[in-house]
Amino acid sequence: MSSAAPVVDWKKKYKDLKKRAKTLIFEQECLQQEVEKGQQKILKIQRDNSFLLERLSQYEQVLVDDPHDFDATDSSDNEVEPPPPPKKKKNLQSSSVKTPKVPPAGGDTQQQQV
């Protein structure tokens, strides 16, 4: 009868399951750390978003309080400014050529000749 029943090594099976459990627990801890990091990033982004929305609402209130200025800025948004004219390049050859200096006529040259 004993030859018909398969022999199970319970010690080996226990060790394998224990090793697998440790591996799964380690992976779970790693994944939990990644989730926490992701939640911290989301929280930071949400805080930044709410801060920026508050600042934007303050500027919008200023514009709504003074509708005259709002109309002026609204009309300027529709206008398209022409691009500035291109800057001219300096001619490097003409600036490198120096003209000879001519001594002043009059004083020094006549005294030396006499």
Side-chain angles (χ1 to χ4, degrees):
M1 271 204 221
S2 63
S3 63
V7 177
V8 179
D9 188 9
W10 293 106
K11 262 189 171 178
K12 184 177 182 200
K13 191 170 188 177
Y14 173 77
K15 286 182 180 182
D16 290 342
L17 288 174
K18 191 173 180 181
K19 186 176 181 180
R20 186 170 178 208
K22 284 183 180 182
T23 304
L24 289 174
I25 291 171
F26 178 75
E27 286 179 12
Q28 181 184 10
E29 289 176 359
C30 291
L31 292 173
Q32 283 178 341
Q33 289 176 354
E34 287 183 32
V35 168
E36 288 177 12
K37 286 179 185 178
Q39 288 174 341
Q40 288 174 353
K41 286 181 182 180
I42 289 172
L43 182 64
K44 182 181 177 197
I45 290 170
Q46 287 175 340
R47 287 180 184 165
D48 290 345
N49 189 19
S50 63
F51 172 75
L52 292 172
L53 285 173
E54 286 179 26
R55 290 196 57 182
L56 181 63
S57 66
Q58 290 174 356
Y59 287 116
E60 286 177 347
Q61 284 179 343
V62 170
L63 292 175
V64 170
D65 291 342
D66 194 4
H68 182 68
D69 288 342
F70 181 72
D71 291 339
T73 58
D74 190 27
S75 65
S76 66
D77 288 341
N78 294 335
E79 297 174 5
V80 177
E81 288 187 31
K87 294 182 180 180
K88 293 183 179 180
K89 294 182 179 179
K90 292 183 178 180
N91 191 354
L92 297 175
Q93 292 177 349
S94 64
S95 65
S96 63
V97 176
K98 295 183 180 180
T99 57
K101 292 186 179 182
V102 178
D108 292 334
T109 56
Q110 290 177 357
Q111 289 176 358
Q112 289 176 353
Q113 291 176 354
V114 175

